[in-house]
Amino acid sequence: MKKLWTILSAFIIALSANAATVERPKLVIGLVVDQMRWDYLYYYYENLRSDGLRRLIDEGYSCENTMINYIPTVTAIGHISIYTGTVPALHGIAGNNFIENGKNMYCCGDETVSGVGSDSKAGKMSPRNLLANTIGDELRMATDFKSRVFGVALKDRAAIFPAGQAANAAYWYDNSVGHFITSTYYMDKLPDWVQRFNKENGTKPGEDQKMKAEGVAVTFRMAEAIIRNERLGMGKYTDMLTISISSTDAIAHEYGTRDELTKAAYMQLDKSLSSLLSFLDGRYGRDGYLLFLSADHGGSHNPIWQREHKLFADGWDGSGTMKGLNEVLQQKFGVAKLVKGNHGDFIYLNHAKIDSASISLDEVKNVAVEYLLKNPDFQFVVDCAKASTSTVPQLIRERIINGYNRLRSGDIVVIPRAQMFSWKFKDTYKGTTHSQWNPYDSHIPLVFFGWHVKHGATTAPTRIVDIAPTVCAMLHIQMPNSCIGEAISIAKD
């Protein structure tokens, strides 16, 4: 009887232990493709491999109506919003560049750190300007920092911000030395395996990897090298790797959405993703890892190309508009250069001059808005601090409010007609840009794949900020500390 009780007790203990185990995948991979329009999934579909991007569509769960719910739609903000589940008003990154306390800031610039692997300014980067936690930060805390989190991209901001503040490391490419680097925020010396990788995969100093399809391939090779050498997913705790593909953005900016070089970058993405998925299948099993694919923003078609097909596209004169606005404000208030400038459609006033002249900031903004509204290129002109009471369509109003950080954003935003940017272009211009609320910039792909993900698709409205709470819900960890998104139902029944 005693022996039977001992066996029964052991069985009960085993059952209790199993019941107490939180089931999680071995590895989480976030893959963000810079400037990937949602429709590229289908524009390129017939050219895709069955085991690459098409496999994600055919086997994963696609959220077909995922929108960015803020402006401006730019790289730094997109990457941060994906991983924090929140918007610039809360995570604090108001653009790739912004002005804080009158000082021009680069989003991840940090003069308190130094480069590791490079002595150039490209190494003086960290996530310290970020005001919110990421998925990776929450994963680290949930496991008492036993889970490990890494980020990789050619662009510094695309490697640093997704990995978060508590990341083990982030690696980005410094063209001036021709290889991947990091900063003293993470470590004092590049690991031996990174040094070996750089010797085998580096380029000539000064060569821009972002402008070639090879930039896609080397990013995936570095991602796989991180997995192998850091032995991600091989321990007791779930690890995370964030990957961002930067070449797709750089090439499109120069050559547009329909150039063969852009297509070549996406075909390389397809090929490299196929190789990565095969590697992950072999290492963790087909259901041992969770991967999601998304984009930081979309991109407009080239204006010359659109005009050739009788579609409207044009530009507004940013520098000329700022010059005219400064002249009007000087005539009214007797102070020169009350406008510091603009970052895209956001206009920054010179608060130091306004304060020293004892001028009412509201009065300056009112005069500025009145002047800008005379420009027929602008459908709306909004005082960002008063956007909630503006006579602007609700969807646009919400995106202005979400994108406005009172310490770092511009004071006034102009909403131009669709397909109008603050760009100047000649008849030979081939490129594109982005930043606006319109679907060409705000409609992004979102596909979940792998661990516990059901196959299917939804056209129900989803948002970029819903990605982080979805992943966190699947991992049974707390969502990031400033998250405003809602989890999407993607798990198998």
Side-chain angles (χ1 to χ4, degrees):
M1 187 68 176
K2 184 176 181 180
K3 184 177 181 181
L4 178 62
W5 176 248
T6 301
I7 294 171
L8 183 60
S9 298
F11 181 68
I12 292 171
I13 291 171
L15 283 177
S16 300
N18 288 335
T21 300
V22 178
E23 188 180 1
R24 293 180 178 131
K26 297 174 182 178
L27 180 66
V28 178
I29 293 182
L31 174 59
V32 177
V33 183
D34 205 320
Q35 204 186 132
M36 185 177 184
R37 294 166 53 105
W38 163 80
D39 57 352
Y40 282 172
L41 288 175
Y42 303 100
Y43 179 73
Y44 290 122
Y45 185 82
E46 293 182 0
N47 302 110
L48 300 178
R49 305 164 59 105
S50 61
D51 56 357
L53 280 169
R54 190 185 290 191
R55 181 181 171 195
L56 297 190
I57 301 167
D58 293 347
E59 298 180 24
Y61 189 84
S62 182
C63 300
E64 297 284 279
N65 193 18
T66 301
M67 306 297 290
I68 295 174
N69 60 330
Y70 55 78
I71 54 173
T73 46
V74 296
T75 297
I77 303 178
H79 281 84
I80 296 164
S81 297
I82 286 171
Y83 288 93
T84 61
T86 195
V87 293
L90 295 171
H91 63 54
I93 304 303
N96 296 333
N97 299 278
F98 50 84
I99 297 174
E100 183 178 27
N101 295 323
K103 180 182 177 183
N104 289 309
M105 303 278 290
Y106 177 59
C107 58
C108 57
D110 186 352
E111 291 297 322
T112 70
V113 302
S114 301
V116 176
S118 169
D119 295 326
S120 77
K121 190 176 180 179
K124 300 181 78 64
M125 304 290 165
S126 85
R128 284 201 173 101
N129 291 328
L130 181 57
L131 305 180
N133 288 353
T134 63
I135 300 169
D137 292 332
E138 294 297 336
L139 178 61
R140 294 267 284 157
M141 288 190 285
T143 61
D144 292 328
F145 298 93
K146 295 181 176 67
S147 289
R148 292 170 299 151
V149 178
F150 293 80
V152 62
L154 297 184
K155 290 183 181 180
D156 45 33
R157 56 189 181 270
I160 291 168
F161 287 132
Q165 301 169 88
N168 296 83
Y171 298 104
W172 57 96
Y173 210 86
D174 181 356
N175 292 330
S176 71
V177 293
H179 60 235
F180 282 98
I181 67 168
T182 188
S183 79
T184 51
Y185 180 88
Y186 305 100
M187 64 189 73
D188 295 322
K189 179 186 175 184
L190 286 178
D192 291 343
W193 72 261
V194 176
Q195 296 183 49
R196 290 195 302 271
F197 181 91
N198 282 338
K199 287 181 181 179
E200 296 170 1
N201 295 272
T203 57
K204 296 178 181 178
E207 189 174 325
D208 191 352
Q209 278 283 57
K210 295 191 300 296
M211 292 306 300
K212 303 180 295 182
E214 171 59 20
V216 177
V218 75
T219 304
F220 273 97
R221 290 199 297 272
M222 181 61 170
E224 187 173 322
I226 293 172
I227 294 171
R228 288 184 185 276
N229 290 280
E230 298 293 346
R231 294 184 56 78
L232 298 189
M234 302 305 287
K236 179 180 177 181
Y237 299 94
T238 299
D239 295 323
M240 184 171 189
L241 175 63
T242 69
I243 309 168
S244 181
I245 305 303
S246 306
S247 297
T248 45
D249 178 76
I251 292 170
H253 271 296
E254 187 70 21
Y255 298 103
T257 61
R258 291 296 186 259
D259 194 86
E260 285 300 311
L261 291 174
T262 300
K263 180 179 180 181
Y266 279 93
M267 294 306 100
Q268 182 61 61
L269 168 67
D270 187 36
K271 180 180 179 181
S272 293
L273 177 60
S274 168
S275 177
L276 177 66
L277 293 176
S278 177
F279 167 67
L280 296 174
D281 287 347
R283 194 171 182 87
Y284 309 111
R286 292 172 68 91
D287 199 38
Y289 59 94
L290 172 64
L291 180 147
F292 67 83
L293 166 77
S294 193
D296 52 348
H297 54 74
S300 173
H301 293 305
N302 174 267
I304 306 300
W305 180 80
Q306 292 187 87
R307 286 176 169 187
E308 289 173 351
H309 296 278
K310 300 181 181 180
L311 295 166
F312 174 84
D314 208 339
W316 64 276
D317 182 359
S319 59
T321 301
M322 296 309 103
K323 180 181 178 182
L325 179 56
N326 261 322
E327 290 173 354
V328 166
L329 293 177
Q330 183 173 358
Q331 290 173 5
K332 175 69 176 179
F333 300 105
V335 181
K337 297 183 178 179
L338 289 180
V339 179
K340 287 188 73 73
N342 68 298
H343 285 304
D345 297 334
F346 283 82
I347 298 169
Y348 286 80
L349 298 176
N350 193 322
H351 287 228
K353 282 195 171 186
I354 292 170
D355 290 344
S356 63
S358 298
I359 304 170
S360 165
L361 175 61
D362 282 342
E363 191 174 352
V364 174
K365 289 193 287 187
N366 289 340
V367 173
V369 169
E370 183 179 355
Y371 168 77
L372 293 166
L373 279 171
K374 294 176 182 178
N375 187 334
D377 293 337
F378 301 148
Q379 293 183 310
F380 304 98
V381 180
V382 179
D383 175 348
C384 294
K386 299 177 180 178
S388 63
T389 58
S390 62
T391 54
V392 176
Q394 185 275 332
L395 182 145
I396 301 173
R397 184 168 66 247
E398 178 186 355
R399 294 183 186 188
I400 294 171
I401 294 169
N402 286 343
Y404 174 64
N405 183 282
R406 68 180 186 87
L407 300 177
R408 294 173 173 178
S409 293
D411 299 276
I412 296 167
V413 62
V414 300
I415 306 296
R417 179 178 173 179
Q419 308 293 167
M420 289 198 70
F421 293 86
S422 57
W423 57 10
K424 293 180 180 178
F425 52 85
K426 300 178 181 179
D427 290 342
T428 56
Y429 178 67
K430 296 181 65 178
T432 186
T433 193
H434 53 85
S435 70
Q436 299 180 340
W437 71 268
N438 309 72
Y440 46 78
D441 285 348
S442 63
H443 191 186
I444 56 173
L446 175 56
V447 186
F448 294 91
F449 177 84
W451 183 82
H452 284 199
V453 175
K454 63 186 176 185
H455 172 54
T458 180
T459 56
T462 53
R463 304 163 299 168
I464 191 171
V465 295
D466 296 334
I467 300 172
T470 301
V471 174
C472 290
M474 294 189 73
L475 298 181
H476 300 290
I477 63 174
Q478 183 60 275
M479 64 183 70
N481 60 7
S482 294
C483 182
I484 63 170
E486 299 177 359
I488 306 163
S489 179
I490 64 169
K492 295 175 182 177
D493 295 332

